Amino acid sequence: MTTPGDAIIRVDGGTSTLWGRHDRGRWDIRIDVDHAELRDDTLDEAEWTRRCEANPRLFNGPMLSVDRFDPEAGTIAARRAWYKQLVLNARGVQLLAVIGVVVARREGGGVCTLLGRRGRQTRLYGRRWELAPAGGVDPVEGPRVTRDMVMAQLAEEMREEVGIEARARHADIVAIVHNEESRSVDLVALIEPEETVEALRARAFREATWEHERLLWLPIRAASRFVSTHREQITPQSRVIFDYLGWA
């Protein structure tokens, strides 16, 4: 269901809700950071040890947790937290993350977007398809996370997760997705590389990682059919983004 507002539309998709502009254009979102760490003394350390033994990929690194966000105002308040707190469902922890929607042209015509099938050892949604790259927004030293910082981190995720270094013709934040199940607030960044799909494939220096066991350049014209036939195999965040962009 899409509900119009003055400048923002809301798209509800089960466990995920998306807010974005009517024109799907650039959205100047302000992200303020409180450097006082979010603490929780009730964490079950034994459970964390068990989780790490079951999944050696788990790592307790620093992250940004969303205290509150106001989609209508385009503001997010975040603070430093630890990944262990997210995994163990600590009260009030919500991962601030970014999802890249890469849109590239094919040499023979047509446009594709990049999907990755998540690896088995990811925290959630293992083996489901998602728009790629994606990842948590790293903590910063200053009082604010800027658009340029988000784009730089997304470029690094693209190198690490999908093995591509792409020069962007256009890149902007266009939406926010809140997913209750994954306990995340995701910035959605639309990226248009200068290169064609074929050129990006040829320059890729890896085909898979533990985070994405397979990559797929999906033609936009085939997106609606893909979503309808693979709906339960796609992450909730990606499904609602497909709806917002009018691809499904």
Side-chain angles (χ1 to χ4, degrees):
M1 180 182 70
T2 303
T3 306
D6 291 337
I8 304 299
I9 60 173
R10 170 175 165 160
V11 183
D12 292 318
T15 60
S16 287
T17 302
L18 177 148
W19 293 264
R21 290 171 51 95
H22 280 281
D23 60 5
R24 303 184 180 91
R26 176 174 178 170
W27 197 2
D28 293 318
I29 298 170
R30 178 181 172 124
I31 306 170
D32 294 314
V33 178
D34 183 345
H35 288 279
E37 285 188 8
L38 185 66
R39 296 190 176 277
D40 189 335
D41 297 328
T42 66
L43 292 180
D44 186 341
E45 295 295 338
E47 176 61 19
W48 172 249
T49 300
R50 285 192 291 271
R51 299 273 188 108
C52 291
E53 289 173 349
N55 183 359
R57 290 288 181 181
L58 288 179
F59 173 73
N60 186 30
M63 55 168 268
L64 286 178
S65 175
V66 175
D67 281 345
R68 60 189 180 280
F69 67 101
D70 184 339
E72 296 294 332
T75 58
I76 295 175
R79 74 170 61 230
R80 245 180 111 88
W82 292 91
Y83 190 69
K84 175 169 61 175
Q85 295 172 309
L86 179 70
V87 173
L88 297 180
N89 299 315
R91 183 169 53 87
V93 176
Q94 295 187 102
L95 176 68
L96 178 61
V98 58
I99 297 173
V101 183
V102 182
V103 178
R105 296 193 173 277
R106 301 170 75 177
E107 290 177 359
V111 178
C112 296
T113 192
L114 181 60
L115 299 181
R117 190 162 69 182
R118 292 170 64 84
R120 299 173 187 268
Q121 293 178 300
T122 52
R123 176 177 68 95
L124 200 61
Y125 303 134
R127 306 215 72 204
R128 290 202 200 181
W129 291 100
E130 69 174 354
L131 290 156
V137 175
D138 294 336
V140 297
E141 296 297 327
R144 191 166 299 134
V145 176
T146 66
R147 172 197 169 278
D148 288 346
M149 291 174 182
V150 172
M151 293 305 167
Q153 290 184 23
L154 194 57
E156 184 61 27
E157 293 287 349
M158 186 173 290
R159 284 190 291 272
E160 291 180 356
E161 289 189 8
V162 301
I164 294 175
E165 293 192 35
R167 297 182 297 274
R169 176 186 297 112
H170 178 80
D172 273 318
I173 296 170
V174 297
I176 301 173
V177 178
H178 178 226
N179 185 352
E180 297 175 357
E181 188 176 27
S182 66
R183 301 172 69 217
S184 64
V185 176
D186 297 275
L187 306 170
V188 180
L190 188 64
I191 304 167
E192 298 178 21
E194 294 178 357
E195 300 94 334
T196 64
V197 171
E198 290 78 6
L200 291 171
R201 277 177 173 161
R203 290 176 50 227
F205 48 87
R206 68 171 67 94
E207 296 182 357
T209 66
W210 71 269
E211 291 175 294
H212 286 120
E213 62 182 27
R214 183 183 168 194
L215 299 175
L216 170 67
W217 285 99
L218 177 69
I220 299 301
R221 57 179 172 77
S224 181
R225 179 175 176 80
F226 183 87
V227 172
S228 65
T229 57
H230 296 78
R231 188 165 188 82
E232 297 308 314
Q233 301 169 38
I234 302 172
T235 64
Q237 298 98 315
S238 295
R239 289 201 304 262
V240 77
I241 294 169
F242 272 88
D243 289 342
Y244 169 64
L245 294 174
W247 294 349

